[in-house]
Amino acid sequence: MEKELMLEGMKCDGCVATVKEKFSAIAGVEVVTVDLEGKKATVKTNQDISEVTFNEALSGTKFKVTGSK
């Protein structure tokens, strides 16, 4: 499965690295690519993972998932 997540709060390459690290730690996530300019992450998973789970992974950071496709 592939999901595109719209993100809020990313401003630099450090932000990209943090989001990638947090999303990669979620069980079932196989590949994460983060697009700073597009303010989105594309996540490939082996199971259905809710937008809520991705937001929970970002808890304690300045980032937030604002939508998905």
Side-chain angles (χ1 to χ4, degrees):
M1 302 177 131
E2 187 172 287
K3 190 174 277 201
E4 190 173 274
L5 303 164
M6 303 300 117
L7 296 164
E8 183 178 281
M10 292 196 318
K11 296 181 176 152
C12 65
D13 288 336
C15 298
V16 168
T18 299
V19 170
K20 191 170 184 174
E21 177 186 329
K22 297 289 188 181
F23 285 175
S24 294
I26 299 170
V29 171
E30 296 177 331
V31 179
V32 179
T33 54
V34 181
D35 176 5
L36 178 60
E37 285 186 25
K39 306 249 186 265
K40 64 183 178 182
T42 303
V43 183
K44 292 183 183 177
T45 65
N46 61 16
Q47 61 190 18
D48 189 27
I49 301 172
S50 73
E51 193 175 307
V52 171
T53 301
F54 287 104
N55 263 322
E56 287 172 353
L58 296 176
S59 178
T61 71
K62 59 185 174 183
F63 315 116
K64 180 180 177 183
V65 176
T66 59
S68 64
K69 292 185 194 178

